[in-house]
């Protein structure tokens, strides 16, 4: 799959998934079911959402995202807040420290 990469967005929210193929980047919100499409070559700051203007590309990239979601079965944790995520991260860091990783 040359030229194709999957990337997770910020955590939280863990309910957003994106795929990059060529110069196109599609972001899918698993809760709202909305899509954002950006041309990374002409719009690297992701300011101009092209999803409505390019439905064919959205459909193509969304197929990749849906296949990826199905494979990894990404759970949606609607109760995850920044505070909870930070606490979980701190707990994991403490576990790693106790094992000598830091």
């Amino acid at each position: 799959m040359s030229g194709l990469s999957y990337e997770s967005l910020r955590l939280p929210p863990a309910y957003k998934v994106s795929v990059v193929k060529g110069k196109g980047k599609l972001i899918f919100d698993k809760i709202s079911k909305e899509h954002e499409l950006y041309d990374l070559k002409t719009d690297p700051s992701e300011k101009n959402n092209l999803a409505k203007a390019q439905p064919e590309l959205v459909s193509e990239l969304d197929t990749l995202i849906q296949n990826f979601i199905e494979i990894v079965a990404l759970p949606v944790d609607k109760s995850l807040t920044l505070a909870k995520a930070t606490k979980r991260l701190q707990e994991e860091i403490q576990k790693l420290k106790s094992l000598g990783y830091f």
Side-chain angles (χ1 to χ4, degrees):
M1 288 190 206
S2 179
L4 176 65
S5 66
Y6 292 99
E7 64 177 354
S8 292
L9 295 182
R10 305 170 266 318
L11 191 105
Y15 53 86
K16 288 192 176 187
V17 181
S18 68
V19 64
V20 176
K21 184 176 181 185
K23 61 182 183 174
K25 178 178 181 180
L26 184 70
I27 301 170
F28 174 65
D29 184 313
K30 291 172 41 180
I31 294 175
S32 71
K33 308 292 187 208
E34 292 182 8
H35 295 91
E36 298 172 43
L37 176 66
Y38 301 100
D39 182 326
L40 295 177
K41 184 175 181 181
T42 61
D43 183 20
S45 300
E46 300 176 12
K47 302 282 185 194
N48 185 24
N49 184 356
L50 302 171
K52 291 183 181 177
Q54 297 186 28
E56 303 85 16
L57 185 55
V58 169
S59 179
E60 175 188 341
L61 296 179
D62 186 57
T63 298
L64 297 172
I65 286 177
Q66 297 310 318
N67 289 341
F68 178 71
I69 289 171
E70 186 177 317
I71 290 167
V72 298
L74 296 173
V76 175
D77 184 352
K78 294 180 183 179
S79 69
L80 188 63
T81 63
L82 182 56
K84 287 181 183 178
T86 301
K87 182 178 178 188
R88 286 185 192 174
L89 181 59
Q90 290 170 341
E91 290 169 353
E92 291 301 315
I93 290 171
Q94 288 304 317
K95 287 178 189 176
L96 291 171
K97 282 183 180 179
S98 72
L99 295 171
Y101 285 100
F102 288 94

